[in-house]
Amino acid sequence: MGKTFSTFMTLPAKFERVLLTGAAGGLGRILRQGLKPHAKVLRLSDREDMGAALAGEELVRCDLADAAAVQRLVEDTDAIVHFGGVSVEAKFEPILQSNIVGVFNIYEAARRHGVGRVVFASSNHVTGYYRQDEMIDADDPMRPDGLYGVSKCFGENLSRFYFDRHGIETVCLRIGSSFPAPKDRRMLATYLSYDDLVELVRCSLHAPDVGHTVIFGVSDNSRRWWDNSKAAHLGFRPRDSADTQRARVEAASPPLDPSDPASVYQGGGFVHAGPFED
Ligand code: NAI
Ligand code: 15L
């Protein structure tokens, strides 16, 4: 096992400067508010417009695929919350640039600037080809359900390598479905509320000695496919549940044909998606 962040320093109650990538995105906008109490300065980055900087914020518009720009972006930060990237199934080229080259640029910059910890937005699509009647945990082999899922496998493996070789700690968040509310029957199992997301990132930044940890980002839903007992050291206790939305969701969305792969596999509709028309 490599060195850990807390080997070098006591974890601060409040970081000096935390970098949040993907700050213009759906979850980035939530974390922009939610991480404020945890950093004196939040450096926010995206390739899209992020509006005006508020007190305690720095805005840096940057493409994750631009190595030199990412080097400058990471300078003087204590921790990185890496949420930028292509967030759905897509053609290989944008996934390659944003999620594969992009995550490599982040870790290389972290290494060169001595950043001790990264919180990486991975995805449940790393394991999307497990069946919905299976319970899995962080040690089960990856079974990505598309090119997007494969890119998140790359990010998780890269982060493992940078921990073993360089001692950079990472918490990989295999986020389920984080939206204002669950949208369909599958999300009754995969839903992660915004409040639980913020709490999960808070725990991932502050827990001591996380080494390289993988956790599924999911609320306290009674229907579940993911066992997080191996990440208990993070201290994450979800407070919300999709159960309160069950009646609404079931009334609004009829069950899928049980033979449809989208209802068989954990990845849902992602098992149909992809640039494979020809
Ligand atoms: P989003 O698509 O709303 O936000 C992603 C942001 O990344 C966008 O603002 C986009 O401009 C930025 N981005 C993409 N490529 C970039 C590049 N090359 N350089 C700079 N910025 C770039 O996605 P969302 O929902 O906010 O997700 C955030 C992260 O969490 C993503 O990494 C996604 O894969 C992951 N995730 C999200 C889930 C969810 O339920 N919302 C579930 C699982 C994972
Ligand atoms: C993801 O990884 C996506 O980023 C998000 O848009 C949702 O589709 C989510 O997975 C999901 O599985 O519901």
Side-chain angles (χ1 to χ4, degrees), residues 25-27 46 62-64 83 85 87 98 122 148 152 175-176 178:
L27 301 187
D46 204 289
C62 159
D63 191 323
L64 292 163
F83 272 59
S87 62
S98 292
S122 182
Y148 165 69
K152 296 294 186 179
I175 301 167
S178 197

Side-chain angles (χ1 to χ4, degrees), residues 87-88 122-125 148 175-177 179 186-187 190 267 270:
S87 62
V88 290
S122 182
S123 171
N124 72 88
H125 296 287
Y148 165 69
I175 301 167
S177 306
F179 296 103
R186 171 178 167 273
M187 289 191 193
T190 60
F270 277 59

Side-chain angles (χ1 to χ4, degrees), residues 126-127 130 134-142 174 214-216 225-231 266:
V126 162
T127 49
Y130 284 94
E134 289 176 282
M135 177 71 90
I136 60 170
D137 73 19
D139 289 340
D140 283 306
M142 294 170 172
R174 287 186 185 165
V214 174
I215 184 168
F216 288 90
W225 308 323
W226 306 321
D227 171 0
N228 270 335
S229 51
K230 288 180 176 143
Q266 295 186 6

Side-chain angles (χ1 to χ4, degrees), residues 21-276:
T21 68
L27 301 187
R29 284 192 295 260
I30 299 301
L31 292 170
R32 181 174 181 171
Q33 294 175 2
L35 294 182
K36 207 146 233 184
H38 305 293
K40 288 184 189 154
V41 178
L42 256 189
R43 182 175 291 170
L44 303 165
S45 183
D46 204 289
R47 64 182 171 189
E48 303 297 337
D49 181 45
M50 293 169 280
L54 305 174
E57 293 181 344
E58 295 173 347
L59 304 187
V60 182
R61 210 151 159 185
C62 159
D63 191 323
L64 292 163
D66 180 339
V70 173
Q71 283 294 330
R72 293 190 294 276
L73 176 67
V74 168
E75 194 169 5
D76 293 329
T77 59
D78 305 311
I80 302 172
V81 178
H82 181 44
F83 272 59
V86 172
S87 62
V88 290
E89 186 62 326
K91 291 196 188 307
F92 185 60
E93 189 57 27
I95 287 180
L96 173 66
Q97 294 306 324
S98 292
N99 294 16
I100 295 182
V101 175
V103 75
F104 173 72
N105 288 342
I106 286 285
Y107 276 91
E108 261 305 276
R111 179 185 69 78
R112 289 172 69 171
H113 292 296
V115 179
R117 188 172 293 186
V118 179
V119 180
F120 170 52
S122 182
S123 171
N124 72 88
H125 296 287
V126 162
T127 49
Y129 262 124
Y130 284 94
R131 296 173 57 93
Q132 295 188 4
D133 55 12
E134 289 176 282
M135 177 71 90
I136 60 170
D137 73 19
D139 289 340
D140 283 306
M142 294 170 172
R143 294 183 72 174
D145 56 26
L147 299 178
Y148 165 69
V150 170
S151 75
K152 296 294 186 179
C153 296
F154 176 83
E156 288 197 9
N157 281 323
L158 189 79
S159 65
R160 176 82 235 183
F161 165 66
Y162 272 81
F163 174 62
D164 288 337
R165 177 72 67 89
H166 302 295
I168 299 173
E169 293 193 311
T170 293
V171 180
C172 294
L173 311 179
R174 287 186 185 165
I175 301 167
S177 306
S178 197
F179 296 103
K183 300 181 195 174
D184 56 30
R185 288 176 182 241
R186 171 178 167 273
M187 289 191 193
L188 295 172
T190 60
Y191 177 63
L192 174 69
S193 74
Y194 284 161
D195 285 350
D196 284 342
L197 168 77
V198 171
E199 173 62 5
L200 178 58
V201 175
R202 186 194 70 77
C203 292
S204 303
L205 282 170
H206 289 289
D209 295 335
V210 299
H212 185 267
T213 297
V214 174
I215 184 168
F216 288 90
V218 66
S219 284
D220 190 23
N221 312 325
S222 52
R223 183 178 176 214
R224 53 192 314 133
W225 308 323
W226 306 321
D227 171 0
N228 270 335
S229 51
K230 288 180 176 143
H233 54 281
L234 292 183
F236 171 59
R237 308 238 185 298
R239 300 174 70 156
D240 294 323
S241 168
D243 298 10
T244 58
Q245 305 284 317
R246 177 176 299 278
R248 177 189 62 77
V249 169
E250 288 181 352
S253 49
L256 294 178
D257 175 343
S259 66
D260 182 339
S263 74
V264 172
Y265 296 107
Q266 295 186 6
F270 277 59
V271 303
H272 290 307
F276 306 113

